Amino acid sequence: MEETAKIWMNGELVDWADATVHVGVHGLHYGTGVFEGIRAYETPKGPAVFRLAEHMQRLHDSAKLLYMELPYTVEELRSATHELVRANGLPAAYIRPIAFFGYGSLGVHTRGNPVETVIMSWPWGAYLGEDALAKGITAKISSWKRVGPNVIPHVSKATGIYLNSMLATTEAQRAGYDEGILLTDNGFVADGPGENIFVVKNGRILTPPLSTSILPGITRDAIVQIAQDLGYVVEEADLIRADLMLADEVFMTGTAAEVTPVRAVDDVEIGVGDVTLEIQKTYLDVVNGRSEQWSHWLDVVETVAAPA
Ligand code: PPE
């Protein structure tokens, strides 16, 4: 990880090296935290954070599902992010808010432990490697099932859930694939360890619904709107692994992964298709501020103080 100058921690900017906690924090022992992944892009209007308020709202929703009360409002977290982006001076960055139960007592209940709220930012390039966006990745159906809705609320971007993701991506990469794909206990396609999934079949675009244990991705939502605007029919559908293997195109979406083509699933070649590349290009135009139509999704950070 490339270190940057500052981290926003519980209301103030501190030096990167000073953003530390005790080994006894609750979140470390039990995975009792929630987080976000956000990207800021370099646009003609300056650094702009993609759908910042929506990400901070999801952080609040995630916390609520864990009976955690965040000490900061969506608006306070939004302006903290602006402050951090300004302080670190990066034209583009990955932004990682995290809130977790801190130091107090141990034992699985969280009563009495304070909530620590932190925002980090650093440069993060292509999630699945430099070639992934153009050439696509290979994926393997994981033997690990996606956590079910009554195991841990998958709608919450909770830190503990990512043990499920870590196992899936590690298994896939140890077997020589770029990424894993998780199915539900019933055999329906859920999502990747850090991405949502889309299938293109006969000109229609399909993606699994919330009921298949997916994280409600903010990129997923943007892609649905962008694809519909481009004239495609987009539907939520229960998909099985055969639908991936027989698809015309498969792609994954996420803040980190952006729009990544999947060129093979379980060694069945699918290739990188035109629909995926069209949607990817449009998405990258939108996030980089080259499209007026979706400019309301870009939260521009004022880097110079406004004249008094
Ligand atoms: N599913 C999962 C399981 C997931 O972690 C992500 C984001 C998504 C779907 C896509 O959500 P969204 O970013 O709102 O479009 N994964 C984040 C963390 C990745 C990591 O390795 O850390 C991300 O992309 O920032």
Side-chain angles (χ1 to χ4, degrees):
M1 173 185 307
E2 198 176 320
E3 297 182 3
T4 52
K6 298 288 180 187
I7 289 175
W8 185 92
M9 194 166 187
N10 300 320
E12 57 188 57
L13 291 174
V14 299
D15 286 345
W16 179 280
D18 296 336
T20 55
V21 291
H22 193 271
V23 291
V25 295
H26 201 277
L28 178 63
H29 292 250
Y30 308 114
T32 50
V34 295
F35 72 105
E36 271 305 319
I38 312 174
R39 275 191 193 271
Y41 289 88
E42 185 173 8
T43 76
K45 292 179 183 153
V49 187
F50 187 65
R51 305 192 77 177
L52 175 55
E54 284 102 317
H55 278 282
M56 291 309 189
Q57 182 57 53
R58 188 172 65 182
L59 188 73
H60 266 264
D61 293 348
S62 295
K64 192 172 183 179
L65 289 165
L66 301 194
Y67 306 98
M68 174 193 277
E69 223 172 286
L70 291 185
Y72 300 95
T73 63
V74 169
E75 190 46 40
E76 284 165 345
L77 293 168
R78 199 185 140 248
S79 59
T81 304
H82 281 233
E83 207 186 320
L84 181 70
V85 169
R86 262 195 300 274
N88 282 337
L90 299 170
Y94 185 81
I95 297 162
R96 166 57 54 84
I98 182 166
F100 53 93
F101 286 105
Y103 185 82
S105 55
L106 286 176
V108 292
H109 70 79
T110 55
R111 218 175 317 126
N113 289 52
V115 173
E116 306 268 353
T117 315
V118 180
I119 310 173
M120 303 169 70
S121 85
W122 71 95
W124 195 354
Y127 186 55
L128 293 155
E130 280 308 316
D131 282 349
L133 291 181
K135 295 188 182 151
I137 58 156
T138 61
K140 174 195 188 310
I141 303 292
S142 182
S143 70
W144 297 100
K145 300 292 172 270
R146 183 76 167 126
V147 293
N150 297 316
V151 179
I152 308 175
H154 57 84
V155 172
S156 174
K157 198 168 167 64
T159 58
I161 290 187
Y162 281 77
L163 200 42
N164 189 217
S165 290
M166 184 280 275
L167 289 168
T169 201
T170 303
E171 178 187 65
Q173 290 184 16
R174 287 172 70 105
Y177 301 83
D178 297 316
E179 189 59 298
I181 292 177
L182 292 124
L183 306 181
T184 64
D185 253 344
N186 298 334
F188 293 112
V189 176
D191 47 12
E195 313 88 351
N196 289 116
I197 297 175
F198 288 78
V199 160
V200 183
K201 184 75 178 178
N202 300 328
R204 286 157 66 230
I205 299 177
L206 307 169
T207 194
L210 195 56
S211 54
T212 57
S213 291
I214 63 164
L215 179 77
I218 289 169
T219 319
R220 174 184 180 272
D221 175 75
I223 294 304
V224 169
Q225 294 189 52
I226 288 170
Q228 285 173 339
D229 183 67
L230 289 171
Y232 293 102
V233 174
V234 186
E235 285 166 11
E236 290 192 335
D238 285 334
L239 301 169
I240 56 174
R241 63 198 298 173
D243 292 317
L244 299 177
M245 297 161 99
L246 298 178
D248 296 331
E249 302 180 26
V250 176
F251 62 90
M252 289 177 145
T253 67
T255 299
E258 298 173 312
V259 178
T260 299
V262 177
R263 70 177 146 82
V265 175
D266 280 352
D267 302 313
V268 175
E269 276 300 320
I270 299 163
V272 177
D274 293 341
V275 177
T276 302
L277 292 178
E278 182 189 9
I279 290 172
Q280 181 195 72
K281 181 185 178 301
T282 311
Y283 179 76
L284 293 176
D285 281 348
V286 170
V287 297
N288 286 290
R290 295 190 288 263
S291 154
E292 266 313 304
Q293 185 183 354
W294 308 98
S295 59
H296 57 283
W297 281 340
L298 293 177
D299 194 337
V300 177
V301 177
E302 296 298 337
T303 45
V304 212

